[in-house]
Amino acid sequence: MQLCFSITLSIAVLLGNSIKLRATITGPAPAGGDGPGSQVCPMCCQGPAGTPGIPGLPGNQGQFGPAGVKGDAGVNGQKGEIGPVGAVGNPGPRGDDGVGLPGKVGPRGPPGLIGANGELGAKGQKGEPGETPDKSTNRVAFTVTRMSRSHSSTNHNTQLPFELAEVILPGTSFDLATGTFTCDVPGTYVFTFSVGKYGGNSLNVHLRKNDDWVVSGLSTDSGPNEQVSGSAVLLLQQGDLVYLTMLGRAWSTSYHYTSFSGFLLYAD
């Protein structure tokens, strides 16, 4: 606002000075308009110079001119030449041969035989290979079964016979008719039995060693399809007998519900 007022005041002063200067130069014009006062004196009638006006404000910045044309690319310099290869150096002197550390001392061999006069005896001939022991006698095992539907006994000392040999290894002595195993190889043996009980009858089964009672099984259940079983580990000497005795009524079929097994665990 103040700037506009200053500009307006400056213009008014300039116009006032211009009108005053013109009235001084020309003077009053005659009535007819033909006198000398109607002509402007170009040389002697010029009045004093007016007071310089206030400088105007700077104008706005002009627009940028168009960009100049891109100059030509400079010329690349030429690649320099490869310098000469340096001379190969002379090989150095050969190093000394290395010496390895000594190895460990081996074990001392057994002393040779000394003869009667102090000299070493001659090496003896190689001996004949020894005989391979027959291990078949240590392979003792059996499994025997019954197929008959019923076998009854009224005495605890009645031996239970068997009818079928499932497995009897060579060297194993077993009598099916009496159900008796005879020990030929002393050692530790394992025996197991499982005997089917007939119907609602009771059944006692005993594993016997010679005349000793080892283990027993009992079933007095009135229901069918019952099993009486047992097992034992026995130390046997040559000639010992192992068998089953029973009291009651045993039962079996072709499915072999009654069986007796034994095998040598360790030979003496």
Side-chain angles (χ1 to χ4, degrees), residues 218-260:
L218 171 65
S219 175
T220 59
D221 196 328
S222 60
N225 303 325
E226 297 293 326
Q227 291 289 124
V228 177
S229 59
S231 61
V233 176
L234 299 178
L235 298 176
L236 300 183
Q237 300 297 324
Q238 187 173 7
D240 285 340
L241 305 179
V242 179
Y243 52 94
L244 299 178
T245 63
M246 57 166 286
L247 172 63
R249 192 173 183 182
W251 175 79
S252 188
T253 67
S254 59
Y255 292 113
H256 304 163
Y257 290 107
T258 296
S259 64
F260 181 31

Side-chain angles (χ1 to χ4, degrees), residues 1-257:
M1 185 69 176
Q2 185 178 1
L3 179 61
C4 293
F5 177 74
S6 299
I7 296 173
T8 304
L9 180 59
S10 299
I11 294 173
V13 172
L14 290 176
L15 291 175
N17 291 338
S18 177
I19 295 172
K20 182 179 179 180
L21 177 60
R22 182 176 183 84
T24 305
I25 296 173
T26 60
D34 296 330
S38 62
Q39 302 295 327
V40 179
C41 179
M43 297 296 294
C44 61
C45 296
Q46 186 175 6
T51 305
I54 299 174
L57 297 176
N60 295 329
Q61 183 177 359
Q63 297 180 354
F64 290 99
V69 181
K70 184 177 180 181
D72 298 334
V75 180
N76 295 330
Q78 295 181 356
K79 185 177 180 181
E81 297 179 358
I82 300 174
V85 179
V88 179
N90 295 325
R94 181 179 179 182
D96 298 332
D97 294 334
V99 179
L101 297 176
K104 294 182 179 180
V105 178
R108 184 176 181 180
L113 299 177
I114 300 177
N117 298 325
E119 72 278 5
L120 295 177
K123 183 177 180 180
Q125 296 180 355
K126 184 177 180 180
E128 297 293 332
E131 295 181 359
T132 303
D134 184 10
K135 296 183 179 179
S136 62
T137 57
N138 294 335
R139 294 166 51 86
V140 181
F142 69 89
T143 292
V144 293
T145 61
R146 284 185 58 83
M147 298 177 61
S148 298
R149 296 184 61 86
S150 177
H151 182 77
S152 299
S153 170
T154 58
N155 190 313
H156 283 284
N157 295 323
T158 301
Q159 291 187 216
L160 179 62
F162 288 88
E163 301 166 329
L164 182 63
E166 297 291 337
V167 173
I168 296 181
L169 295 183
T172 303
S173 297
F174 195 91
D175 183 9
L176 289 173
T178 61
T180 302
F181 167 75
T182 302
C183 176
D184 294 328
V185 180
T188 302
Y189 286 79
V190 177
F191 295 94
T192 63
F193 66 88
S194 180
V195 180
K197 182 179 71 68
Y198 188 89
N201 298 273
S202 63
L203 178 65
N204 293 265
V205 180
H206 312 288
L207 177 65
R208 306 278 291 270
K209 172 187 173 182
N210 300 326
D211 293 330
D212 298 331
W213 303 65
V214 181
V215 294
S216 298
L218 171 65
S219 175
T220 59
D221 196 328
S222 60
N225 303 325
E226 297 293 326
Q227 291 289 124
V228 177
S229 59
S231 61
V233 176
L234 299 178
L235 298 176
L236 300 183
Q237 300 297 324
Q238 187 173 7
D240 285 340
L241 305 179
V242 179
Y243 52 94
L244 299 178
T245 63
M246 57 166 286
L247 172 63
R249 192 173 183 182
W251 175 79
S252 188
T253 67
S254 59
Y255 292 113
H256 304 163
Y257 290 107

